[in-house]
Amino acid sequence: MSTKPYDRDRSKTKRLEMPVQESALRIMNFDEVALGYTTEMAVKEAGRCLQCKEPQCVTGCPVGVLIPQFIKALGEGDMTRAVGIMKSRNNLPAICGRVCPQEIQCEARCVLGKKAEPVAIGRLERFVGDFELLSRTHPLEQKKDTGMKVAVVGSGPAGLTCAVDLAKEGHMVVIFESLHTAGGVLVYGIPEFRLPKAIVNSEINYAVESLGIAIRTDHVIGRTYTLDELLSEHDSVFLGTGAGLPSFMDIPGINLNGVMSANEFLARVNLMKGYLFPDYDTPVKTGKKVAVVGAGNVAMDAARSCLRLQKGRSGRDSGNKVHIIYRRSRDEVPARREELLHAEEEGIIFDFLTNPVGILGDSGSNVTGLRCIRMKLGEPDNSGRRKPVPLKGSEFDIAADTVIMALGTSPNPLVFFDSKGLNRNLNGTVMADHETGRTTKTRVWAGGDIVTGAATVISAMGAGKRAAADIHKFLTLDNRWD
Amino acid sequence: MYRIIEKQSLSDITKLMVIHAPHVVRNAKAGQFVIVRINEYGERIPLTIADFDPISGNITLIFQEVGKSTKHLGSLNAGDEVATFAGPLGHASEIDYYGTVICIGGGVGIAPIFPIARALKQAGNIVISIIGARSQSFLFWEEKMRSVSDELIVCTDDGSYGRKGLVIEPLKELLEARASGINRIWAIGPGIMMKSVSMTTRPYNANTIVSLNTIMIDGTGMCGGCRVLLDEGASFVCVDGPEFDGHKVNWDMLLSRMQFYRPEERLALEHWEHKCNLEASIDERGK
């Protein structure tokens, strides 16, 4: 059988749009916004891939998914082969397809993107992942028991990936999770409408069950067990506890009623299912005028969740407003592009080049608004982005009865309690080798946000993967730390 | 799932529960707390540890039924299970030899003050304890407290038992009589009681430790909902506390934050009671 002649026209065509819930409808519910490709659409989009001899897309993927190969199989309608290729590198494709910032990773390097739109790699990955969750043709395979025991702390993207890779190699893996359910940021942080919990649970259960990984929930390392206690009972320990500590601004009024961290707000909504209160016991309070400070993915998630809670409560057009307040301009917004576009479509009000200088309250300690100052962009700073500079005398007030701080997070120091020898940077992140994940403490590896500070799901998975490879080498080959 | 081994009613609204949770007991110390979630629908509630037994792996909790979650928990019985039991959380009390200490337990706060008084006694301190409640029916563990105290003063607001009046009255007398001889004070109870204890001891410069029980979700520093304003800035009750210097706490802010979810708490309770009534009447019809 000969391959079809190369069709020059197809590279000119645009990528296939993914069906989404219409914005007027979706702001009334918490159901998933993006609905995914149909089989027909996936095959058609896969046909756009040029099958480059030296594919650049793969170099943009932190876990090295064999992108052209899985797309080729998909284009030929061989779903099972596509799944096999995908799962040889990525244990959680249904999750990554939904939350990876593809536009700055694989898709940014797609050759098609130079002249036309890049192949929708993320949407195809999601399709393959969802197909596998339904068909379950590729349970993960496990090698013979090595007799080695590994403790993985944290069941978020880094920990899960590390645990699964090590269990595949035949090591006995136990995951310790402080919350009552596994998934880390995937369950407490990312909302249902962007990443349905059913997908997370089913992806985790599938991986964990097929490999016999034990998950001990309600185990707070640093308290229930110390790190040193874990080390005495396991051959190695991987720390993937993320960056769970919220940052608050050092401005007046931060302790007023109605001011909360995005972590608290999202944990109430996602982890505790507060959007189903009072059927679920945990309340979540959003007023009529909400101000979210920050413009990362977490800020978008919080703002869009607020909108849905308001609409669910009082229907449309009832004077409800959700603002996103960001000190730089639209071009610098750190959120995934799709989230920004969805937020704009849904009616979130963006106050760019604006920074809060104080939170206003009434005599009952309830928040009434934000005092802000206008900013302008100056010279680029260390991060390469233009530094926002306040414009003197431009202060103004924004009315708000709820203020949500989405200003980033740092690693939770609880895990280090009573343990020595683990060096950390000034910002609280753990010092670890980028390639191996080795920390300064013997037999302890770390990866994900605990090392990098708040970053992406896929970069945490990449770190978990690299650490798993090194732990495996350590346990089975040389047992050498130095 | 964690099994309830034993349940006692200490008063109409005060319940004692012994729960089997060996993973929490192994490192548990006086002053720490746990997070309990009843079932899939439940909220995560912080409860201070009243007692723990390393041999059986059991933890004793004492709580007052005030809202939906505590009423629901109180309706469970020995043999039932709860879905989440995480801990021990927070820092342990700083147990040391101080000399003479006063341990004050108000209402349900008598429960968590007990293991602290016990540990202080074991560390060689002279322990003077004051326990108080609205009336006699809300008092419990008098004998247990007596067994770890050199002196025990019991008060009730209505005078139905012991001394009539608030716990701060005997406290003030003790401070008047021997202010310099009191080396440390622990107070656990309702926010308003801990506030008035702190106000009472401040003029005497008597080192006063309070144990705060604020609204929280994870209990590990993640949500920040429990933050309390101290003289030096905001602090998290779950990881920096739960014990703080009572003279540094901004009490008005704290008490106001505790009230923030009152309307929702009422709604949750009504919703639950309605559901219970509905289920009861369906059961009735089924028979």
Side-chain angles (χ1 to χ4, degrees), chain A residues 117-139:
Chain A
E117 287 185 334
V119 175
I121 302 169
R123 294 169 187 175
L124 295 177
E125 177 178 38
R126 170 188 161 140
F127 177 82
V128 171
D130 286 358
F131 178 86
E132 171 61 0
L133 282 183
L134 291 175
S135 60
R136 304 209 160 194
T137 51
H138 283 74

Side-chain angles (χ1 to χ4, degrees), chain A residues 218 224 257 261 281 285 412, chain B residues 2 68 87 220 223 227 256 260:
Chain A
D218 306 333
T224 312
N257 275 327
S261 70
D281 292 345
K285 220 161 167 137
N412 193 328
Chain B
Y2 308 90
K68 188 263 149 182
T220 64
C223 76
R227 65 193 188 281
S256 140
F260 186 54

Side-chain angles (χ1 to χ4, degrees), chain B residues 252-281:
Chain B
D252 294 337
M253 198 72 127
L254 180 89
L255 294 173
S256 140
R257 283 185 72 83
M258 298 289 290
Q259 301 288 324
F260 186 54
Y261 284 97
R262 269 301 145 81
E264 286 76 15
E265 282 163 15
R266 239 187 330 266
L267 190 67
L269 183 59
E270 281 165 20
H271 186 77
W272 180 68
E273 284 174 341
H274 178 72
K275 224 171 90 190
C276 290
N277 290 340
L278 213 64
E279 275 163 13
S281 71

Side-chain angles (χ1 to χ4, degrees), chain B residues 58 64 69 114 132 172-173 177 210 285:
Chain B
N58 292 341
Q64 221 160 50
S69 294
F114 166 72
K172 204 167 175 177
E173 290 163 15
V210 295
R285 284 221 201 140

